[in-house]
Amino acid sequence: MKSILWLLLLASALPVLAADDKLAMAKRLEDPDWVVRSLSAKSIGDSHYSWGIQWLRDRLARENNEYAQAFLLKALLVFSLEDLVRVGGMGLIPVAIKPLKSKSSHPRRQAQKLLEKLTGQRGPEDAAGWERWWKDAEATFAFPKFPQAQPPGEAGGIEAKTHKTTEFEEFIYGARRQGLEVVFVLDQTGSMQPTIDAAKANVLEISEYISLLIPKYKLGLVTYDDAVQVRFPLTQSYEAVQGKLSGVIAVGGADFEEGVDKGLA
């Protein structure tokens, strides 16, 4: 039960865990462990600290771990185009092209989204194509003009601090060693459509983060009304679970007490 609660709180807990101060989060972006770097990147994005864009950009320029690249890119995508332009500047474009060379689809997909957001156009889907485009466009490309705003304050240097592992990180490390099995259980009774839509978004995000952080994972999907349906047995394909999840809609009866018991059985 503790493992399931950790995962259900994944999207909201990270900013709290990393919100000690700005310099501590920046320091964690330089941690030797890619898991720590990834969690720190997500914390910055979820906290909407625009000053963190420059640290995310600079870390991404040096990052060679493809999973950490995906987290850094997802964090940058949280910010508005205006914030990205003001803090990240033109340097974001060549930095965002680099992950397109990754063998993993995770950073490639996020890099494509960021480049399209920055340039306002749907460009090529490979690094070579974007590099050719940037070589031709760099001299004349201009971001949209935004009203004058006070630049973000200087964060200053990063003091060396000893990183204390959080309870959440210890859970992640344990799951990386031992593996993790998670079954998502959704109520699909007729009145639950708004809740289902919200749950879908959270499950999609959580399942992708699990696939990035934990090599030996299995995900499953169960829905219930007054009966139970195993939508997908345990699998190592988070894309397959997401595909089944997209087809879940509110239908069925309202005998939810019985359905809950069966769904969790």
Side-chain angles (χ1 to χ4, degrees), residues 79-87 146-147 149:
F79 296 98
S80 67
L81 178 60
E82 182 174 354
D83 282 341
L84 291 171
V85 169
R86 289 190 190 285
V87 185
F146 296 103

Side-chain angles (χ1 to χ4, degrees), residues 43-107:
S43 296
I44 293 172
D46 285 354
S47 301
H48 290 83
Y49 295 144
S50 61
W51 48 261
I53 293 173
Q54 58 186 323
W55 286 329
L56 294 170
R57 177 200 63 198
D58 294 346
R59 178 66 244 178
L60 182 59
R62 303 188 305 276
E63 185 60 65
N64 293 318
N65 183 283
E66 58 191 16
Y67 299 113
Q69 287 177 346
F71 274 88
L72 289 160
L73 289 159
K74 284 175 74 70
L76 286 166
L77 280 164
V78 167
F79 296 98
S80 67
L81 178 60
E82 182 174 354
D83 282 341
L84 291 171
V85 169
R86 289 190 190 285
V87 185
M90 288 287 187
L92 271 173
I93 293 178
V95 167
I97 292 174
K98 173 188 170 184
L100 288 172
K101 299 177 182 178
S102 172
K103 294 180 180 179
S104 169
S105 63
H106 291 292

Side-chain angles (χ1 to χ4, degrees), residues 220-232:
L221 177 63
V222 170
T223 61
Y224 67 88
D225 38 48
D226 44 356
V228 174
Q229 181 177 356
V230 178
R231 296 277 183 159
F232 215 98

Side-chain angles (χ1 to χ4, degrees), residues 190-245:
S191 62
M192 294 297 292
Q193 192 60 53
T195 304
I196 289 174
D197 292 338
K200 281 182 180 180
N202 288 329
V203 171
L204 290 173
E205 183 175 22
I206 290 171
S207 64
E208 183 167 10
Y209 282 127
I210 291 173
S211 72
L212 286 168
L213 287 169
I214 301 171
K216 295 183 290 185
Y217 73 92
K218 289 185 178 179
L219 303 177
L221 177 63
V222 170
T223 61
Y224 67 88
D225 38 48
D226 44 356
V228 174
Q229 181 177 356
V230 178
R231 296 277 183 159
F232 215 98
L234 287 171
T235 176
Q236 285 191 301
S237 172
Y238 86 94
E239 293 97 337
V241 173
Q242 290 181 341
K244 284 290 184 181
L245 180 65

Side-chain angles (χ1 to χ4, degrees), residues 13-44 55-56 59 62-63 68 72 158-170 173:
L14 291 176
V16 177
L17 293 172
D20 312 306
D21 59 23
K22 297 176 181 179
L23 296 181
M25 274 195 271
K27 178 65 179 176
R28 294 177 73 186
L29 280 179
E30 304 301 323
D31 195 278
D33 190 333
W34 74 266
V35 174
V36 175
R37 299 197 301 274
S38 299
L39 296 180
S40 182
K42 188 177 189 305
S43 296
I44 293 172
W55 286 329
L56 294 170
R59 178 66 244 178
R62 303 188 305 276
E63 185 60 65
L72 289 160
I158 301 175
E159 299 174 0
K161 294 186 179 182
T162 301
H163 170 57
K164 183 178 180 180
T165 303
T166 65
E167 187 178 356
F168 177 78
E169 288 170 356
E170 290 176 354
Y173 293 137

